Amino acid sequence: MDYVDQWLMAIIFGLTLIGLVRYQHAPERVFAAAALACLAFGLASTESLLTNATNPGLVTLLLLLVCSFAIDRTSLLRVICSKLIVPSKVATYSRLLLGTALSSALLNNTAVVATLITPIKNNSVINPSKLLLPLSYAAILGGTLTLVGTSTNLIVNSMVLEKGLPSLGFFDFTLVGAMACASCFVVVLLRLSVLPKHKVQDTTKPSYFIEAQVAPTSSLCGRTIVENNLRNLDSLYLLEIIRHGKLISPVRPNTLVQANDRLIFTGDVSKVKVLQQFDGLRLFAEQDDLLFDNLTEVLVKPGASIIGLSIKQSSFRARFDAGVVAIRREGGMLSGKLGDMVIKAGDFLVLAVGKDFAGRRNLSKNFFLLSGVTPENILLGWRNSYTVIGFVVTVAASVLLPITLLECLLYFVASLFAFGCLSVNEVKRRFPFGIWLIVSAALTLSNGLENSGLSTQLAHWVEHYVNDKSVMLAFVCVYLITLLLTEMVTNNAAAALIFPIAYNVAQGLGVDPMPFIMAVAFAASGSFILPYGYQTNLMVFNAGHYQLKEFLKMGIPVSLTYSAVVLYMIPVVFPF
């Protein structure tokens, strides 16, 4: 046995651990350096590195993340969001925790939290600081319910497949995760008093004034604002309604929408395409049949020929080959119809522009051209429905039919490209290169442990020094080490680094590795104490203006409860 290789591998593994702690924001670079070191010292081969890069579990994870790019653009999360914040505090907490957890069991939990942050910050029922941290915890706990609930579970599954074991089942995590979820929800509700009541300032983009008209054939007619899900839109707020020339302000939740109503919104103009997802809701500039893909922001110059004219009187389409989508006026409150707004010097306008806009000679006389405004690329019509239904059918087919999730996702992603629900450019822009690099490098590190004989030596050491009565002790140690590491670095890095150790400990003890595998998966997702180990924690930490001590007061009891339930349930569901 080559003890030199074993010492080299031990040094590489130790330096990797130190690097992950030291460079918390660049785990992919640390893992890449470790993989290259294994190649350089002959502890892993190029062939194994390439094989690891196309590991079926890793490819499944990547395809699932690509699917999430399309799902994020549907109305699904918006509809879910609209059902969570209600006038009753008890109902709001119940819906928020359960709704977020169930959504995170199937959808990307980061996307779920990102969608809900703005409506929570704008709600008038409960102080946002009382909701944002429970939101993150619910998303984390929901991710432990299924195989696809969090990237951590899929990373562990990719390493399971690399060991030649059968793939983890879709619902293998559910029983343990559900018990942990329910127990932690009780603790969160009991500890709400420790959360602060910070005044959360909205840091969204400047608010524009946006108008949309309800068509007579719209399904919105005859239903209330709440029933139409118009109350809690992401970064858009329904300011007033203009009906038969009369102004309705403020707009109450039980106000009925009628045909030809003009709905006046204020907020982030990049979210404007969300309004097009509502049946029969037509934006002001759409009457000119202009595209909303490339919006342009301009500032009206002093002395411009359109000053003193209303937007409708200024004939934007004829003058500039453009239509006004939204208007913003610094230091002034706007009200009424967008078309009747009288333009003043210093007004900011967002324009939907035609092909001839850039060539018009009168632009420089009237506007300062500020920048392009890229609206969020929202899926509309049948593409919206197909993406949501198709994803549900894809997951259901992998569970109910003898077809792997990888095969189902391959067909579904191909159809998303074919039907225009996804574009190659979007995938290029958002491809999760960091996760791909971490997992493929971690698998190579695992190969190095085996090829050097260090993993075998570890198994012999465990077999020699740990008797059968201490299996539970070894199991608890693996869990606690992973939990500590996920708080110090990131959940994905912790799972990737500790898995090969946990697997070899189980081998050395001569027991089923499944409890140890699950210990790594659940511990890597158990980041509740510090805001740095899990992305959703960091998102709400900044949005809610929390202090570290406030995280600790809530997080420590939740973490202790989670750990106690998981450590008890895993050996029950997966005996040694």
Side-chain angles (χ1 to χ4, degrees), residues 36-244:
L36 289 175
C38 289
L39 287 176
F41 291 108
L43 301 172
S45 64
T46 306
E47 290 77 11
S48 65
L49 178 61
L50 295 175
T51 301
N52 294 333
T54 56
N55 175 283
L58 175 55
V59 175
T60 301
L61 169 59
L62 297 177
L63 288 175
L64 196 65
L65 292 175
V66 169
C67 288
S68 74
F69 300 161
I71 294 169
D72 293 350
R73 293 161 50 202
T74 68
S75 60
L76 177 61
L77 288 175
R78 174 179 58 77
V79 171
I80 292 172
C81 169
S82 68
K83 305 294 183 183
L84 301 185
I85 308 295
V86 292
S88 167
K89 290 186 178 182
V90 174
T92 294
Y93 275 115
S94 302
R95 292 187 181 197
L96 181 72
L97 294 175
L98 291 174
T100 302
L102 293 176
S103 300
S104 298
L106 290 176
L107 306 175
N108 185 299
N109 51 17
T110 303
V112 172
V113 172
T115 302
L116 291 174
I117 280 179
T118 299
I120 286 176
K121 289 171 67 176
N122 293 335
N123 94 91
S124 57
V125 179
I126 302 174
N127 185 282
S129 295
K130 293 283 189 180
L131 290 173
L132 288 170
L133 191 52
L135 167 69
S136 178
Y137 287 172
I140 293 171
L141 292 165
T144 66
L145 294 174
T146 64
L147 175 63
V148 301
T150 174
S151 58
T152 306
N153 291 351
L154 288 162
I155 287 174
V156 169
N157 189 48
S158 66
M159 304 190 84
V160 166
L161 293 174
E162 192 269 339
K163 295 297 182 184
L165 299 174
S167 174
L168 298 176
F170 189 85
F171 294 113
D172 280 354
F173 300 84
T174 305
L175 186 55
V176 178
M179 291 297 294
C181 202
S183 302
C184 290
F185 281 173
V186 172
V187 175
V188 167
L189 293 174
L190 291 175
R191 297 286 294 172
L192 286 175
S193 60
V194 305
L195 291 177
K197 290 185 177 180
H198 293 316
K199 185 178 179 181
V200 178
Q201 297 293 331
D202 193 356
T203 57
T204 56
K205 297 178 181 179
S207 292
Y208 270 89
F209 187 91
I210 305 165
E211 178 185 315
Q213 187 171 17
V214 180
T217 57
S218 172
S219 60
L220 302 177
C221 297
R223 302 170 65 194
T224 66
I225 297 299
V226 170
E227 290 171 340
N228 285 318
N229 301 325
L230 290 167
R231 195 64 179 173
N232 293 304
L233 297 177
D234 182 18
S235 300
L236 289 176
Y237 175 72
L238 181 56
L239 185 67
E240 55 195 31
I241 297 177
I242 299 173
R243 180 178 297 161
H244 306 308

Side-chain angles (χ1 to χ4, degrees), residues 308-515:
L309 300 176
S310 70
I311 291 175
K312 191 173 291 184
Q313 290 171 340
S314 60
S315 302
F316 264 77
R317 184 63 190 263
R319 288 179 185 238
F320 310 111
D321 191 28
V324 178
V325 175
I327 182 172
R328 176 167 65 90
R329 182 170 295 160
E330 295 288 359
M333 184 66 181
L334 299 175
S335 180
K337 292 183 182 180
L338 182 60
D340 294 341
M341 295 287 170
V342 176
I343 300 171
K344 296 183 178 181
D347 282 350
F348 293 84
L349 305 176
V350 171
L351 307 178
V353 301
K355 294 180 180 179
D356 298 333
F357 174 78
R360 295 296 172 100
R361 295 182 178 180
N362 55 354
L363 292 182
S364 60
K365 297 177 182 178
N366 290 277
F367 308 119
F368 293 108
L369 298 179
L370 301 180
S371 63
V373 177
T374 304
E376 290 195 350
N377 195 6
I378 301 297
L379 292 178
L380 306 173
W382 66 269
R383 290 185 176 87
N384 176 69
S385 302
Y386 173 79
T387 301
V388 175
I389 296 172
F391 179 73
V392 174
V393 171
T394 297
V395 173
S398 70
V399 174
L400 302 174
L401 300 176
I403 309 173
T404 65
L405 181 59
L406 173 58
E407 292 173 310
C408 293
L409 287 172
L410 280 171
Y411 286 112
F412 181 54
V413 170
S415 70
L416 291 177
F417 282 113
F419 297 146
C421 303
L422 265 180
S423 67
V424 174
N425 287 336
E426 183 176 10
V427 174
K428 285 181 180 178
R429 179 171 54 86
R430 299 180 61 186
F431 185 78
F433 182 77
I435 290 180
W436 173 77
L437 193 57
I438 286 173
V439 179
S440 54
L443 292 173
T444 303
L445 196 64
S446 180
N447 294 151
L449 288 169
E450 291 183 3
N451 296 337
S452 67
L454 185 59
S455 60
T456 304
Q457 190 67 18
L458 176 63
H460 289 324
W461 183 87
V462 171
E463 184 180 13
H464 183 266
Y465 288 100
V466 181
N467 55 46
D468 291 340
K469 295 181 181 179
S470 298
V471 171
M472 189 64 186
L473 177 61
F475 165 75
V476 172
C477 286
V478 165
Y479 176 88
L480 293 177
I481 291 170
T482 310
L483 185 69
L484 177 63
L485 195 59
T486 198
E487 294 287 4
M488 295 171 62
V489 287
T490 65
N491 55 325
N492 292 333
L497 191 65
I498 300 301
F499 178 90
I501 300 297
Y503 180 79
N504 284 293
V505 167
Q507 293 288 94
L509 292 170
V511 298
D512 188 342
M514 201 56 186

